[in-house]
Amino acid sequence: MIQEFKKVIKSYVIGMLWLLGLLWPMLGIHPDGTLTFQKTVTVWSYIVAGSFVCLLIYVMKNSGALDFVAKPLAGVSSNLKSASNTLPTWVWIVVILVAACLYPQFTNRYATDVAINVLLYICLGLGLNVVVGLAGMLDLGYIAFYGVGAYTYALLNTVYGVGFWFSLPACALTACIAGCIVGYPTLRMRGDYLAIVTLGFGEIIRLILNNWMSVTNGPNGILGIDRISWFRFVFEDGMTFEHMWVKKLQLFYYFALGLAVFTAIGVNRLNYSRVGRAWESIREDETAAELMGVNTFIYKLLAYAMGAVFAGLAGAFFAARMKFVSPESFTFLESAMVLCMVVLGGMGSIPGIILGVMALIALPEVFREFEAYRMLVFGATMIIMMLFRPAGLIPAKRMGTRSEEKEG
Amino acid sequence: MEYFIQQLINGLTLGGMYALIALGYTMVYGVIQLINFAHGEFFAAGGYIGAIVLAYFAGVGYMESHPIICLTASFMIAMAYCAYLAIGVEKIAYKPLRKQSRLSALLSALGMSIFLSNGMMLTQGVYDAIYPSELFQGRFDFGMISVSYLQVTIVTLTAALLVGLNILVFKTKIGMAMRATAQDKTMSALVAISSNRIISLTFAIGAGLAASAGIMYGLYYGSVKYDMGFVPGIKAFAAAVLGGIGNITGAMLGGLIIGMVEIFGAGYISGEYKDVFAFIILIAVLYFKPTGIMGENIDDTRV
């Protein structure tokens, strides 16, 4: 154990000295021809202190020195687990739904706004999960379909005056068509090539939105999109419909909640259907799946299109909430952020993704002062998750291991 | 015709930069079969270090008296810094995942890319870092065509680096070890080639080349920005794929072709969509000839 500890400390010291060497040129060389060390050393010492604490906890946990804390904690968590298992799953779902329904009644406007954001990202995360988690294809251009959905509603509404609910199927349809157009040529590739090509397509769609001035109004975006309207009967002279604009944020929250629940149910049903099993077989071993008679191309295209449909629906809600769309909302960083949520929560696991979204959207709102470090933390989270817990916070329940992992 | 030749020269300048970045992708992919997403960030970091070092020299006052020495020193420092950065990145984010699935390594690389670009933003600020413009003022004029000294310098320097790399890879012992590791890690380990050391070296060389491209980019366009690594990175990857990933000569050729296509596309078709052409080439190559123009057969599990 001492030997191991020495090894860890040695690599830690080397790593920290290496970091100092990296930081100094960026922080210590000034254009006025002076060299300073103070700022570098300050930043560095913060990092050293923070990481040393983490390292100490990690080493102590591995060596068993923290057993007096870890044992009771493990006991508590296993008790919780058994307690949660005694209650059927639907009870938990009902509890969570009730909590979600009551949430806006007890919070202010700002908190509701954040919650709407969380719900839309849950939708996006679950949609991406179909592609990445279920079918095992890394998609880096996912946010483009969100953009397609948002622009479809924006254009239908501002140019043709179509209402929200009539636009919604159209948004799903255009996103689906976009998914098929992108998916058709790309899905013959696998793994990392697929990732880079989807990234390319995502950028192409964004560039089209940015440059097609006559239709999308380019970088200025589209203003004045209507809110969600809903219809009610009016019985004055004969039966007619009249629409009411949803002004209150709370009502919008409930619509977004409905969308998130719809997505969660949809993804869950897909997962346990014949299609879901086909996806799983493709994810585990594509060649074997093809040999067993799974039409891999069609199923991959289907996964891609399904993911795009959920993104398109979320996009329509996004446009209705912001009342404004511009290509800037659909950059690669957004894609990476959604992917980070899926990875953090656990690929293929619905509760995991919900947790991941909450962690990455709601927590930064709590730590507002550290806003600038947000993307830095996202990047670091992705690396750390991959190094220490590749299956995510709440790993998906699945049998066996991936064939790739076994090969080594 | 003059316009055509002028565009050809511009394309050569840009293509050379893409070729330098593409080499890093292709070498790393050749050795560990990983798309190093953070490679574009090495390029941006090189640009930043160049800007910082040049600004420092200007502040001290060496810039007026010895501009050539300052420029050479900034290239050297930036290349060394990026090599140093790349070795560390490889040790932290890629090495522990070498035995894991391909997806984990790819996600870790993506995380590293986001981390590095935001790290640069936090240390250097969100605004452009300006390069001194007074370095290469003059230009050669041949009738309608004009070639700036800067373009000549960039093309010459690129050519020198490419030739140097070719000598290193194909004529020296180290290069032989690199090629052996790329072909078969187990077998090369049996003949006493440390694959860890070779992988580090590959990362260092690739990042050094990317850093030199970063400085050239900064000199050529006048400024660098923290998120500038992304789009050139993807284009350079397209170049690497076009040339046949893992193939060094192919990456050089691919970089030149992508640079030419971008310049001619912007000149003759549409300037707004200039970024799209590289992506379309990437997709078309992967669709019709995934091995690239100079690639050998690759493992069918990848494409």
Side-chain angles (χ1 to χ4, degrees), chain A residues 55-312:
Chain A
L55 182 80
L56 213 59
I57 293 172
Y58 180 73
V59 168
M60 278 164 81
K61 187 170 158 282
N62 272 6
S63 65
L66 282 181
D67 272 356
F68 69 96
V69 191
K71 279 247 171 76
L73 269 183
V76 168
S77 76
S78 73
N79 280 344
L80 273 179
K81 217 174 241 168
S82 60
S84 70
N85 281 340
T86 49
L87 283 172
T89 321
W90 65 264
V91 175
W92 289 107
I93 292 172
V94 168
V95 167
I96 290 169
L97 273 184
V98 168
C101 285
L102 290 178
Y103 176 80
Q105 308 298 336
F106 297 102
T107 49
N108 57 10
R109 211 185 141 73
Y110 170 69
T112 315
D113 209 45
V114 173
I116 289 172
N117 221 351
V118 167
L119 288 172
L120 290 185
Y121 271 103
I122 284 177
C123 226
L124 277 179
L126 289 175
L128 183 60
N129 175 48
V130 171
V131 187
V132 178
L134 303 187
M137 306 182 287
L138 186 54
D139 182 359
L140 295 178
Y142 185 67
I143 212 74
F145 303 123
Y146 188 50
V148 167
Y151 265 89
T152 306
Y153 173 55
L155 289 174
L156 278 178
N157 188 269
T158 51
V159 179
Y160 301 105
V162 184
F164 180 79
W165 299 107
F166 292 110
S167 308
L168 206 54
C171 293
L173 190 71
T174 47
C176 180
I177 291 169
C180 290
I181 292 172
V182 175
Y184 186 76
T186 54
L187 291 177
R188 298 200 328 178
M189 298 153 209
R190 294 181 188 180
D192 28 19
Y193 276 19
L194 178 73
I196 211 102
V197 170
T198 51
L199 177 87
F201 264 117
E203 280 296 296
I204 288 177
I205 290 182
R206 192 181 65 81
L207 286 168
I208 289 173
L209 292 180
N210 209 10
N211 291 322
W212 197 2
M213 284 303 285
S214 57
V215 175
T216 64
N217 200 18
N220 303 330
I222 299 175
L223 270 166
I225 304 163
D226 283 335
R227 294 189 183 87
I228 292 183
S229 58
W230 64 339
F231 293 91
R232 57 170 184 184
F233 293 108
V234 179
F235 297 106
E236 275 168 24
D237 24 79
M239 201 176 83
T240 52
F241 284 115
E242 191 168 279
H243 53 230
M244 238 169 81
W245 303 111
V246 177
K247 288 233 170 67
K248 286 180 87 176
L249 205 62
Q250 285 192 6
L251 264 174
F252 192 90
Y253 172 85
Y254 288 116
F255 286 131
L257 183 64
L259 177 73
V261 170
F262 167 75
T263 313
I265 292 172
V267 171
N268 190 39
R269 293 320 300 156
L270 278 173
N271 194 6
Y272 289 106
S273 66
R274 183 189 164 83
V275 180
R277 286 198 302 279
W279 284 339
E280 190 168 351
S281 70
I282 292 171
R283 180 186 67 207
E284 300 301 328
D285 192 331
E286 194 166 335
T287 317
E290 193 137 19
L291 278 173
M292 299 304 290
V294 176
N295 189 341
T296 51
F297 180 76
I298 292 293
Y299 279 106
K300 280 161 80 175
L301 195 60
L302 186 65
Y304 212 70
M306 284 312 295
V309 164
F310 289 124

Side-chain angles (χ1 to χ4, degrees), chain B residues 41-272:
Chain B
E41 267 56 54
F42 299 156
F43 162 76
Y48 260 121
I49 292 294
I52 292 168
V53 170
L54 285 177
Y56 172 75
F57 282 139
V60 175
Y62 286 166
M63 205 64 177
E64 287 91 50
S65 49
H66 311 92
I68 302 293
I69 294 174
C70 288
L71 199 66
T72 317
S74 70
F75 266 100
M76 293 290 177
I77 293 170
M79 286 168 81
Y81 180 87
C82 284
Y84 181 65
L85 174 68
I87 291 171
V89 164
E90 196 269 330
K91 288 269 184 288
I92 288 176
Y94 305 151
K95 196 180 165 198
L97 293 171
R98 232 178 264 160
K99 294 233 154 60
Q100 300 282 319
S101 77
R102 199 177 281 283
L103 195 63
S104 327
L106 202 57
L107 286 170
S108 169
L110 190 61
M112 196 37 116
S113 160
I114 297 170
F115 183 84
L116 288 180
S117 82
N118 281 278
M120 278 186 275
M121 183 192 83
L122 287 173
T123 49
Q124 296 296 314
V126 289
Y127 303 108
D128 294 12
I130 308 295
Y131 264 81
S133 57
E134 67 274 11
L135 268 176
F136 298 96
Q137 284 283 320
R139 44 178 65 242
F140 300 111
D141 283 310
F142 309 100
M144 294 288 284
I145 307 155
S146 92
V147 186
S148 68
Y149 290 169
L150 181 61
Q151 278 176 322
V152 175
T153 316
I154 288 177
V155 171
T156 321
L157 204 55
T158 311
L161 283 169
L162 296 184
V163 170
L165 182 79
N166 258 323
I167 292 173
L168 178 76
V169 173
F170 294 106
K171 294 279 189 294
T172 63
K173 275 260 161 107
I174 296 171
M176 200 191 276
M178 281 169 70
R179 282 178 291 142
T181 315
Q183 261 183 16
D184 190 335
K185 271 198 214 46
T186 325
M187 196 56 215
S188 61
L190 283 177
V191 293
I193 296 169
S194 160
S195 65
N196 280 341
R197 212 169 280 172
I198 292 296
I199 290 170
S200 293
L201 184 72
T202 311
F203 267 87
I205 293 173
L209 293 175
S212 68
I215 297 190
M216 289 175 195
Y217 186 95
L219 288 169
Y220 195 57
Y221 291 104
S223 66
V224 289
K225 201 164 187 280
Y226 72 96
D227 60 355
M228 74 168 191
F230 176 61
V231 173
I234 303 295
K235 285 179 190 162
F237 180 76
V241 171
L242 177 62
I245 196 133
N247 185 316
I248 288 176
T249 326
M252 298 177 185
L253 205 62
L256 285 179
I257 294 173
I258 293 278
M260 293 286 180
V261 166
E262 185 178 329
I263 291 288
F264 280 106
Y268 287 101
I269 303 171
S270 154
E272 286 155 350

